[in-house]
Amino acid sequence: MKSKIMVSLMLTVICLFCYGQTNKFIVITFSSKRSIDKEFKNYYWITPVDSIKSNDFYLTPLYVAEFSKDNLDDCIKGDTIDIFTSTSKTRLDFDSNYDEQIENLIFLIDKNRVKVQSIKMNWDKRKWILVNIYATPITGNFCDCYEYHNRAGTKFNSMVYLPQSGFSYDKSFWDTPISNIVRFSKYNFIDYTSHLLYKRSVQTRCE
């Protein structure tokens, strides 16, 4: 009987460990402002913590708005979605609890972000763009699926993430060796607006 209990406890620990590894993510925020802009615009990308083995890791677009309820349902099932096209099945009937969770996610990302890089490009004295890059460790449930869009000459084909539920800030991440990889990776060549401009975008390597 004791051996069965021990086996059960071990399996429980293993399952909790696996879950902990798969629901921990790093959100990378590209906060961009041009000389003609009045305020910064945020672009969110994401990667699972357990995918970060070295500076050679991938980032994937994270949508926190623009998608519909049917997009989310299809993404959870693993189906391909097209966020930028409305169809007869397009629905926007998110319940209030989901809307609150998304607002909470954005709040957690923006409040707890840590700056890891800053880039400023000048064309002349009056034309420039400043990009501040931040990292936020988040625990929660996200679904991943492929976003495919091909309409009016614009194409987009990439894996993307959509938020689901259970978001919290993972402060303990900064005490792990992996945090140094996130802090010191170079993000300056990533076309962070590509998935919002319908341009072709694939998972982008940080080197």
Side-chain angles (χ1 to χ4, degrees):
M1 182 66 177
K2 288 185 178 180
S3 62
K4 289 184 178 180
I5 293 175
M6 288 298 294
V7 170
S8 177
L9 287 173
M10 290 176 63
L11 290 174
T12 300
V13 171
I14 291 172
C15 288
L16 288 174
F17 177 78
C18 293
Y19 179 75
Q21 293 299 300
T22 56
N23 76 334
K24 293 180 181 292
F25 297 85
I26 297 299
V27 175
I28 301 296
T29 303
F30 295 86
S31 190
S32 172
K33 183 179 181 180
R34 300 172 299 172
S35 51
I36 60 174
D37 295 331
K38 293 183 178 180
E39 58 186 22
F40 283 89
K41 297 179 181 179
N42 292 331
Y43 304 88
Y44 302 109
W45 291 63
I46 193 171
T47 191
V49 168
D50 59 9
S51 71
I52 305 173
K53 308 298 183 184
S54 67
N55 286 29
D56 187 19
F57 67 91
Y58 291 85
L59 292 177
T60 304
L62 168 65
Y63 287 97
V64 295
E66 301 174 329
F67 59 91
S68 60
K69 179 64 165 57
D70 55 287
N71 289 149
L72 178 61
D73 292 341
D74 288 341
C75 187
I76 292 173
K77 293 185 293 184
D79 296 340
T80 299
I81 62 174
D82 184 353
I83 290 174
F84 304 113
T85 299
S86 295
T87 67
S88 57
K89 74 170 188 175
T90 298
R91 295 164 35 232
L92 300 173
D93 55 338
F94 293 105
D95 59 46
S96 58
N97 181 57
Y98 183 75
D99 291 335
E100 290 174 4
Q101 291 197 67
I102 297 302
E103 290 180 8
N104 179 56
L105 172 62
I106 297 172
F107 173 78
L108 290 173
I109 292 172
D110 293 347
K111 179 184 178 182
N112 299 292
R113 64 190 190 180
V114 173
K115 185 185 287 188
V116 295
Q117 192 173 348
S118 187
I119 305 166
K120 187 172 184 180
M121 294 169 284
N122 296 281
W123 286 273
D124 57 40
K125 293 182 179 180
R126 291 179 293 181
K127 293 182 180 180
W128 49 266
I129 182 170
L130 173 64
V131 184
N132 293 321
I133 302 163
Y134 303 89
T136 313
I138 291 290
T139 299
N141 300 311
F142 296 83
C143 60
D144 60 283
C145 58
Y146 276 91
E147 157 75 12
Y148 178 78
H149 179 83
N150 184 5
R151 187 177 182 184
T154 58
K155 292 183 178 181
F156 176 81
N157 183 17
S158 174
M159 189 174 80
V160 298
Y161 276 81
L162 301 183
Q164 290 182 256
S165 62
F167 310 114
S168 61
Y169 172 54
D170 183 17
K171 184 179 180 180
S172 63
F173 170 81
W174 296 115
D175 297 323
T176 68
I178 299 176
S179 66
N180 288 329
I181 298 176
V182 173
R183 287 181 186 275
F184 300 114
S185 289
K186 295 181 180 179
Y187 305 88
N188 54 298
F189 62 90
I190 295 177
D191 186 5
Y192 56 87
T193 66
S194 60
H195 62 299
L196 298 178
L197 299 177
Y198 310 165
K199 293 180 181 178
R200 182 171 178 79
S201 174
V202 297
Q203 296 178 34
T204 307
R205 189 184 303 271
C206 298
E207 297 176 331

